[in-house]
Amino acid sequence: MALKNGIQLTWLGHATFKVEFDGQTTLIDSWVMNNPSCPDDLKTFDKIDTMLITHAHADHFADAVELAKEYTPTVVAILETGSWLEAQGVENISAMNKGGTQTVNGINVTMVHANHSNGITEADGSIVYGGEPAGYIVEFPNGYKIYHAGDTNVFSDMRIISEIYQPDLALLPIGDYFTMGPREAAYAARLLNVPTIIPMHYGTFPVLTGTPDALRELTADVAVEIIELKPGGTLS
């Protein structure tokens, strides 16, 4: 399966993706340096123009401050997480909230709901409120739309996401324990009515037991293609 008109998507492991289009690089969820699934040769970047943060748990957010200061991208996050980043000296914050859409470096970014939690762990181990978790619809100038669900359980409003935004590709967590597993992701596939799914957020740690094969089996009666990428794998 190829992506449309020059979009290149690389899975960096867990829930982190690098998306390249028209000379722009977008990083979705900024866990790279200590991400055990991320290949070493992909832990540095030529540039990052846009950073999208779904929520502030360490396995999605741990490198946000360092990467933002090094590459000075436009950083999109929910308001409270954006405020925390600003307090750490991060510039170019473009905070938003659910239901809103903004154009960032030529792509339209819509923040949508996710059913999860969101706390920022401070250096002393305390946890502060990071706002609500989120997912994103990323629409490219050629009309192609990617839905990154963030960390979430299945929720009935995925049907609304399908009807309003009609994504072409969904990046769905399947690991279980901290997010939905294959059973719930298969239900999400039916709600979303999306033609292609790339599973994510599985296999990084032993507790994340969901597999793409299980999702494929549970969606055998659905008109959806399950693309199993390996960490470092690219669709282009």
Side-chain angles (χ1 to χ4, degrees):
M1 177 254 185
L3 297 183
K4 182 180 179 182
N5 294 346
I7 301 168
Q8 180 168 290
L9 180 144
T10 301
W11 187 35
L12 303 186
H14 205 58
T16 302
F17 288 84
K18 180 174 69 173
V19 188
E20 296 165 285
F21 178 80
D22 198 23
Q24 299 283 323
T25 298
T26 298
L27 184 68
I28 308 177
D29 280 350
S30 46
W31 188 41
V32 179
M33 283 71 157
N34 293 313
N35 180 347
S37 296
C38 183
D40 287 340
D41 62 343
L42 295 177
K43 293 186 177 184
T44 58
F45 304 85
D46 294 329
K47 63 173 188 167
I48 302 173
D49 300 288
T50 306
M51 183 186 297
L52 307 181
I53 296 169
T54 64
H55 66 296
H57 289 162
D59 58 332
H60 297 254
F61 182 71
D63 302 318
V65 172
E66 182 176 347
L67 291 175
K69 289 183 175 180
E70 180 174 357
Y71 296 99
T72 63
T74 301
V75 180
V76 178
I78 205 159
L79 183 64
E80 292 82 357
T81 295
S83 296
W84 185 90
L85 287 167
E86 284 186 324
Q88 314 310 307
V90 174
E91 300 178 350
N92 303 323
I93 302 293
S94 190
M96 63 187 305
N97 220 308
K98 296 176 185 180
T101 300
Q102 60 174 310
T103 301
V104 185
N105 295 317
I107 59 175
N108 288 332
V109 177
T110 301
M111 181 178 283
V112 297
H113 185 58
N115 183 4
H116 195 59
S117 59
N118 185 28
I120 302 168
T121 303
E122 300 277 22
D124 63 1
S126 62
I127 297 176
V128 300
Y129 178 60
E132 290 198 357
Y136 290 100
I137 300 290
V138 182
E139 182 176 3
F140 297 88
N142 60 28
Y144 194 85
K145 287 172 279 191
I146 296 175
Y147 168 42
H148 189 298
D151 276 9
T152 191
N153 186 23
V154 64
F155 53 95
S156 61
D157 285 357
M158 285 181 173
R159 178 70 71 190
I160 296 176
I161 291 173
S162 170
E163 292 177 355
I164 295 177
Y165 306 111
Q166 300 177 339
D168 299 286
L169 170 66
L171 314 176
L172 297 185
I174 65 163
D176 212 339
Y177 199 84
F178 291 111
T179 69
M180 58 185 174
R183 176 179 58 179
E184 293 80 9
Y187 195 91
R190 290 168 170 82
L191 292 173
L192 290 165
N193 193 31
V194 67
T196 309
I197 292 171
I198 295 177
M200 65 174 182
H201 205 285
Y202 69 93
T204 319
F205 309 109
V207 73
L208 303 181
T209 57
T211 67
D213 283 344
L215 177 60
R216 192 174 289 114
E217 180 179 349
L218 290 166
T219 55
D221 61 332
V222 181
V224 62
E225 182 180 14
I226 308 298
I227 302 292
E228 181 181 355
L229 288 181
K230 301 299 183 184
T234 296
L235 291 181
S236 62

